[in-house]
Amino acid sequence: TLKGVFYQRAKLIHPQEDLLKGFHPDDRKHHIIINVGGIKYLLPWTTLDEFPLTRLGQLKFCNNFDDILNICDDYDVTCNEFFFDRNPGAFRTILTFLRVGKLRLLREMCALSFQEELLYWGIEEDNLDWCCKRRYLQKMEEFTEINEREDDLIENETTGEPVEETKIGLCMKKLQDMVERPQSGLPGKVFACLSVLFVTITAVNLSISTMPDLREEEEKGECSQMCYNIFIVESVCVAWFSLEFLLRFIQAKSKFAFLRRPLTLIDIIAILPYYITLLVDTTSVGYKKPSSGSIYLDKVGLVLRILRALRILYVMRLARHSLGLQTLGLTARRCTREFGLLLLFLCVAIALFAPLLYVIENEMADSQEFTSIPACYWWAVITMTTVGYGDMVPRSIPGQVVALSSILSGILLMAFPVTSIFHTFSRSYIELKQEQERIMYR
């Protein structure tokens, strides 16, 4: 044939072509005319025989006019033309699937619209090629997350409407606006500012508590006025955080869903060490295991120091009020595959360069720095991440060549997934910003 099998299976009809000219009644037995949004295609019935479950394939089994109108929007008997009021741009991908059996996702088309077109034309999503299917599923997951946040927001707004007439319902609505929506009014803004202020005070207080003088007092079991003031400030901050957690818990519609949130878990992990420390200090005073002697007190002191170090988690509470930190967390959740690839690349390169450098340095330079291959692993990590502490340095020329190769490889390997992570970060920031604008608009 002149234009091949691809042309025979479906042909575009140009607007200037006259369909009635040369039309023969017997032609309807061989082909049909599909009109999608004003663009017409000539399809032989043999093309649709391979897809009997699709919407177009069902046209062959229609016996009367009513059956035809149940499938398409209009039908012209004179030239056997079936009209579909659908997106002609999306139908091009459907037509390509009918022609060659390959289903592709257009980059300029919305994934939700593409899903609607697939459902309308009766084509399974599994027919997508693997490259397009991955991008399609990623888009659908992002849309699902956005819809879940929108549904939660709408549910929180609508569930409070029937009880707004009562005083309790009105108070709960105001409490929810204050603790969850800083942009709702002056109380919400003041509450958010106080929360950020107490987080800042906690971080400064934790830094001051690690000064050498205060650490010597702690080791001796003494407490000066400075130490007492730090304890008072910490107690006030923890009291505020406890009150904030209690208010958020009270206004939550679903207590179980509230406790499962990542930020709620961070609040719990950050607040509990203070109360555990008070409990341990209270129970350990005047109590000493006779069998273990000072070992027990050393273990108690280690536990207390670890619990106090967990107070730094208060800084993570800033994610509740910072769009940038929320974007960072959302990007980390969406880019787990990219981070896994980055870790895999580094592990393979480290496993290659570390033994190579160990053999070269021990054979040619007799270096005392590279004592074992596990020690060379540390050198490879520091070198490939371009940190370069300088604690372990190759002395021989071949070792320096290996070091240069590892540095260049580290730069290239770490740069590969960065583009994908950057695009995901930009997309996540735009989504969260638009969501925040929609909340403010409401």
Side-chain angles (χ1 to χ4, degrees):
T1 57
L2 182 62
K3 295 192 176 181
V5 180
F6 189 83
Y7 176 78
Q8 283 186 346
R9 295 180 65 87
K11 171 188 174 184
L12 175 65
I13 300 176
H14 297 283
Q16 62 270 19
E17 293 186 29
D18 189 3
L19 298 178
L20 297 178
K21 183 179 180 180
F23 178 78
H24 194 271
D26 293 337
D27 291 343
R28 66 178 68 244
K29 298 179 181 179
H30 304 289
H31 63 262
I32 59 174
I33 297 174
I34 303 297
N35 187 335
V36 182
I39 299 179
K40 301 177 183 180
Y41 301 92
L42 185 67
L43 272 73
W45 283 113
T46 55
T47 301
L48 303 178
D49 289 340
E50 300 179 10
F51 309 96
L53 299 180
T54 62
R55 181 175 289 269
L56 293 178
Q58 295 175 8
L59 291 175
K60 194 171 183 179
F61 304 100
C62 296
N63 298 322
N64 51 55
F65 191 76
D66 293 334
D67 293 341
I68 294 176
L69 292 183
N70 289 332
I71 296 177
C72 63
D73 296 304
D74 200 1
Y75 174 60
D76 188 358
V77 183
T78 56
C79 55
N80 200 28
E81 179 180 349
F82 299 87
F83 176 74
F84 295 88
D85 190 12
R86 303 299 294 185
N87 185 359
F91 185 73
R92 287 184 299 166
T93 61
I94 307 299
L95 189 65
T96 303
F97 176 70
L98 297 177
R99 280 171 163 173
V100 294
K102 293 184 179 295
L103 186 61
R104 301 293 171 83
L105 175 63
L106 297 177
R107 290 187 176 272
E108 64 272 11
M109 188 174 182
C110 175
L112 290 178
S113 300
F114 185 72
Q115 185 187 43
E116 293 177 358
E117 294 295 328
L118 292 181
L119 292 174
Y120 179 82
W121 295 107
I123 298 177
E124 297 290 338
E125 299 176 357
D126 296 336
N127 294 316
L128 277 168
D129 290 348
W130 66 270
C131 55
C132 297
K133 189 173 183 179
R134 177 185 174 184
R135 188 169 71 252
Y136 171 77
L137 294 178
Q138 182 180 3
K139 289 287 187 181
M140 295 307 299
E141 289 177 359
E142 294 175 3
F143 286 132
T144 303
E145 293 178 1
I146 295 174
N147 292 332
E148 288 178 355
R149 290 197 295 265
E150 288 285 339
D151 293 340
D152 293 339
L153 180 62
I154 295 174
E155 182 181 358
N156 292 333
E157 292 179 352
T158 55
T159 51
E161 290 178 359
V163 295
E164 271 194 21
E165 296 179 357
T166 63
K167 293 183 179 180
I168 297 178
L170 184 60
C171 291
M172 294 297 293
K173 183 65 170 60
K174 291 183 178 180
L175 179 62
Q176 184 181 16
D177 291 339
M178 183 181 69
V179 300
E180 296 292 346
R181 304 187 186 99
Q183 67 278 0
S184 60
L186 182 61
K189 294 179 181 179
V190 173
F191 187 85
C193 292
L194 286 176
S195 180
V196 174
L197 177 62
F198 277 105
V199 170
T200 306
I201 293 174
T202 301
V204 174
N205 192 55
L206 178 62
S207 302
I208 296 176
S209 63
T210 58
M211 299 295 289
D213 297 339
L214 297 176
R215 291 178 60 186
E216 291 178 1
E217 293 178 2
E218 181 181 358
E219 293 175 358
K220 294 178 181 179
E222 302 174 355
C223 184
S224 61
Q225 184 64 32
M226 184 68 175
C227 179
Y228 181 75
N229 294 335
I230 291 176
F231 176 75
I232 295 298
V233 172
E234 181 184 359
S235 301
V236 173
C237 294
V238 173
W240 167 261
F241 295 141
S242 303
L243 175 63
E244 182 180 353
F245 178 81
L246 184 62
L247 293 177
R248 293 184 187 277
F249 182 78
I250 292 174
Q251 62 84 31
K253 298 293 185 300
S254 175
K255 312 299 182 185
F256 181 71
F258 171 77
L259 294 176
R260 289 176 55 190
R261 295 177 184 174
L263 291 178
T264 303
L265 297 177
I266 292 175
D267 291 343
I268 295 174
I269 296 174
I271 294 173
L272 279 181
Y274 174 81
Y275 296 104
I276 296 177
T277 303
L278 287 181
L279 181 62
V280 172
D281 285 337
T282 304
T283 56
S284 61
V285 172
Y287 176 73
K288 185 176 180 180
K289 279 189 175 181
S291 60
S292 58
S294 61
I295 298 178
Y296 172 73
L297 295 180
D298 292 340
K299 292 181 178 180
V300 172
L302 177 62
V303 171
L304 293 178
R305 288 193 293 271
I306 293 175
L307 291 177
R308 288 169 184 168
L310 290 177
R311 290 178 295 176
I312 197 61
L313 292 176
Y314 283 122
V315 179
M316 298 297 296
R317 293 170 53 88
L318 292 175
R320 197 183 297 275
H321 310 287
S322 173
L323 183 63
L325 292 178
Q326 293 176 10
T327 306
L328 182 62
L330 184 59
T331 304
R333 186 173 62 183
R334 290 179 174 177
C335 292
T336 52
R337 182 174 299 182
E338 285 76 8
F339 288 128
L341 286 176
L342 178 60
L343 183 61
L344 176 63
F345 294 159
L346 289 178
C347 289
V348 171
I350 289 170
L352 175 65
F353 287 111
L356 184 61
L357 185 71
Y358 171 77
V359 172
I360 292 176
E361 286 297 304
N362 281 271
E363 293 295 332
M364 303 187 66
D366 295 331
S367 176
Q368 302 298 323
E369 299 175 356
F370 302 92
T371 56
S372 63
I373 292 181
C376 292
Y377 285 156
W378 169 252
W379 170 86
V381 171
I382 298 305
T383 303
M384 295 193 68
T385 54
T386 66
V387 176
Y389 286 141
D391 51 348
M392 301 171 65
V393 181
R395 304 298 178 181
S396 63
I397 294 179
Q400 293 173 356
V401 172
V402 172
L404 178 62
S405 302
S406 64
I407 293 172
L408 296 177
S409 301
I411 294 174
L412 293 176
L413 293 178
M414 294 185 68
F416 287 153
V418 167
T419 304
S420 177
I421 295 174
F422 170 74
H423 288 304
T424 304
F425 181 86
S426 301
R427 190 168 61 252
S428 301
Y429 178 77
I430 293 174
E431 291 176 4
L432 291 177
K433 191 173 182 180
Q434 291 175 349
E435 180 182 356
Q436 191 178 55
E437 292 176 351
R438 287 195 296 268
I439 294 175
M440 294 179 65
Y441 179 75
R442 284 197 181 95

